[in-house]
Amino acid sequence: FAGLRDASGLRLISGGPMMGTVVHDPAAPITKTSNCLLLVPAEAQPRPRPCIRCGACDRACPMRLQARALHDCVRATDFDRAQDLHLFDCIECGCCAYVCPSAIPLVQYYRHAKGVIEGLDRDHAKALAAAARFARHGSRRRNAPISGGAELLDLPGSRAALRADIEAALARRDERR
């Protein structure tokens, strides 16, 4: 639409220069939540180097998060500790990654961790719901009143059949004495 014919040597970013994400397929759809598209020269991104613990990311964070500690937790997949350090308070502004002299893509780590944690929470909620359903089902089966004719009294698992089994076992015990 904008007249671009050749996108080689360019990067397409959706969502702005700081918080945006790179769009790898130019045929990706635009949605109502897309607020901007940037087409910038595809400069060679510097390779991330080990953290030098300078603290620039901590100072740059507008939410006053401990970006270095969050990065260490996420890399170690210690998501409980990351949540204790308020990972979900991160607004993903990109300031920490912008000031990092080691070129560590911190925001990408945080986004990944948030997605993993949300997936684990969904799975946990599903498991709890299934356990509750199973418990309710078992409760209904145990407390179901026996109604009907005499043929229902001989069903395995019914109270009358259970009582008959117990009485038979007691009678066998008494015979052995």
Side-chain angles (χ1 to χ4, degrees), residues 2 20 34 43 56 71 80-81 87 94 101 111 122 142 153 172 174:
S34 300
E43 301 164 353
H71 175 249
D80 292 331
R81 175 85 174 118
L87 172 67
R111 283 181 186 154
R122 271 192 310 274
R142 281 190 303 278
L153 294 177
R172 286 192 303 271
D174 291 341

Side-chain angles (χ1 to χ4, degrees), residues 14 88 119 129:
S14 174
F88 282 92

Side-chain angles (χ1 to χ4, degrees), residues 51 53-55 57-58 65-73 110:
C51 179
R53 307 229 178 263
C54 65
C57 54
D58 292 340
L65 299 177
Q66 300 173 18
R68 280 185 310 147
L70 277 171
H71 175 249
D72 292 341
C73 292
Y110 303 154

Side-chain angles (χ1 to χ4, degrees), residues 158-171:
S158 71
R159 290 185 183 137
L162 218 67
R163 192 171 303 120
D165 289 343
I166 292 171
E167 288 173 8
L170 291 173

Side-chain angles (χ1 to χ4, degrees), residues 57-65 89-96:
C57 54
D58 292 340
R59 288 189 300 276
C61 181
M63 298 303 293
R64 306 268 187 231
L65 299 177
D89 288 348
C90 175
I91 58 174
E92 299 178 13
C93 64
C95 292
C96 56

Side-chain angles (χ1 to χ4, degrees), residues 4-168:
L4 179 68
R5 301 288 178 244
D6 182 23
S8 61
L10 298 172
R11 275 189 315 154
L12 181 61
I13 300 175
S14 174
M18 295 295 278
M19 297 175 67
T21 57
V22 175
V23 178
H24 297 287
D25 183 11
I30 301 294
T31 64
K32 65 181 180 180
T33 60
S34 300
N35 62 351
C36 96
L37 290 174
L38 295 175
L39 201 55
V40 295
E43 301 164 353
Q45 295 295 319
R47 292 183 59 125
R49 295 178 302 278
C51 179
I52 59 173
R53 307 229 178 263
C54 65
C57 54
D58 292 340
R59 288 189 300 276
C61 181
M63 298 303 293
R64 306 268 187 231
L65 299 177
Q66 300 173 18
R68 280 185 310 147
L70 277 171
H71 175 249
D72 292 341
C73 292
V74 171
R75 286 194 60 210
T77 63
D78 186 0
F79 298 126
D80 292 331
R81 175 85 174 118
Q83 284 184 292
D84 291 343
L85 292 172
H86 307 285
L87 172 67
F88 282 92
D89 288 348
C90 175
I91 58 174
E92 299 178 13
C93 64
C95 292
C96 56
Y98 183 77
V99 299
C100 181
S102 296
I104 299 171
L106 295 166
V107 177
Q108 289 178 6
Y109 281 102
Y110 303 154
R111 283 181 186 154
H112 171 73
K114 286 179 180 181
V116 169
I117 291 169
E118 288 170 350
L120 291 172
D121 288 347
R122 271 192 310 274
D123 292 346
H124 183 68
K126 284 181 184 178
L128 288 177
R133 271 194 319 273
F134 182 75
R136 285 193 306 270
H137 176 71
S139 174
R140 284 193 310 268
R141 288 189 58 147
R142 281 190 303 278
N143 297 327
I146 297 175
S147 61
E151 69 277 354
L152 290 178
L153 294 177
D154 295 329
L155 286 176
S158 71
R159 290 185 183 137
L162 218 67
R163 192 171 303 120
D165 289 343
I166 292 171
E167 288 173 8

